[in-house]
Amino acid sequence: MVSNLVPRLQDEHRFPMNRFDASLLWNSVADDSADDSCELEEPASYGTFDESCDESDGECSSVLQSAPAGETFFVPLSYEPNYRYPLIVWLHSDGFNENQVCHVMPHVSTRNYLGVGVRGTQAIDAAGHRFDWHSSSAAMDVAQRRVLHAVRAATSKYSVHPDRIVLAGYQRGGTMAMQIAMRNPEMFAAAISLGGTLGRVGGATIDLDQLRQRRLPMLWQWSIQGDHYSQETLVKEIQFVMNVRSQIEIRQYRNDDEMNTVVLSDLNQWVMDHVVGGAPVAKINPWDSSPTSFSEN
């Protein structure tokens, strides 16, 4: 296990996107049939739409399409069907929906990846615009089916590299991403969590022997000034990951939220280095750690 502690200061001059603008996220979905307590077994279907976005450094014309089964696809600029793209499967934070991928991916990269956003398992508003990731075993099974369906849908519609599928998520979505990746370690090239814990690690649905053989690469990104950050929890989860011999890199940031462009830029570079480039996460042996001091950028 490798634990690289790489805390960084947020650079306010690079696309300051510390919070999502919620008003941008709910205007593409309308379903009055959902209620606050509904835990959906299967997501509703919606029509397709195209959306363009403006970046501070120019125009973003990536294709963003809402598709059946509560999935939203992000297609990179100048999409080339003969190139097999890495795929980032994105699990949104609580209170949002699958369209969050439209706002995250342009700050990761407009050209390097295909992306697909997956809807959470429990509607929390009557209009059916906002969803949470419920933590019950049944809801986790539903979430896993939705992720596997999204991967199949993306690979059938677009040119996806089968060995470069990354499962990533933000806060509770990051927790769900880790849980699903540990259930299916052979399916994913890596798992990434922005401010999400491992949750119920070591549960009966996780094959620990399979995890040890796979040595799943992981990136954990934490803002150490956030209310959800716990050094004690982090230490316990590192101990679990050491037990299953996963390759893990931990990056800590001196701010109160993981959703900023420095974090997303680091995510892009990590995937390009370790998933696309094939560089090992471990340095010398599985138990290495290489902490670094806070960046003064």
Side-chain angles (χ1 to χ4, degrees), residues 98-109:
E98 66 274 17
N99 294 331
Q100 192 177 78
V101 72
C102 301
H103 304 276
V104 170
M105 290 303 300
H107 295 278
V108 176
S109 173

Side-chain angles (χ1 to χ4, degrees), residues 5-45:
L5 303 181
V6 188
R8 300 189 181 187
L9 291 176
Q10 178 183 342
D11 185 348
E12 297 291 350
H13 299 291
R14 299 172 55 196
F15 303 137
M17 188 192 66
N18 297 329
R19 301 291 186 275
F20 289 112
D21 182 352
S23 65
L24 298 176
L25 291 174
W26 323 125
N27 57 9
S28 63
V29 180
D31 181 3
D32 294 332
S33 63
D35 59 56
D36 289 347
S37 62
C38 174
E39 181 172 335
L40 301 177
E41 286 295 324
E42 294 295 340
S45 298

Side-chain angles (χ1 to χ4, degrees), residues 1 8 10 22 57 68 78 152 161 167 198 223 225 234 274:
M1 193 279 296
R8 300 189 181 187
Q10 178 183 342
D57 65 340
S78 304
R152 290 193 297 269
H161 197 301
L167 184 56
L198 285 183
S223 291
Q225 296 174 353
L234 182 60
H274 300 295

Side-chain angles (χ1 to χ4, degrees), residues 275-293:
V275 175
V276 178
V281 177
K283 299 297 189 291
I284 299 174
N285 62 63
W287 313 112
D288 274 348
S289 73
S290 50
T292 64
S293 61

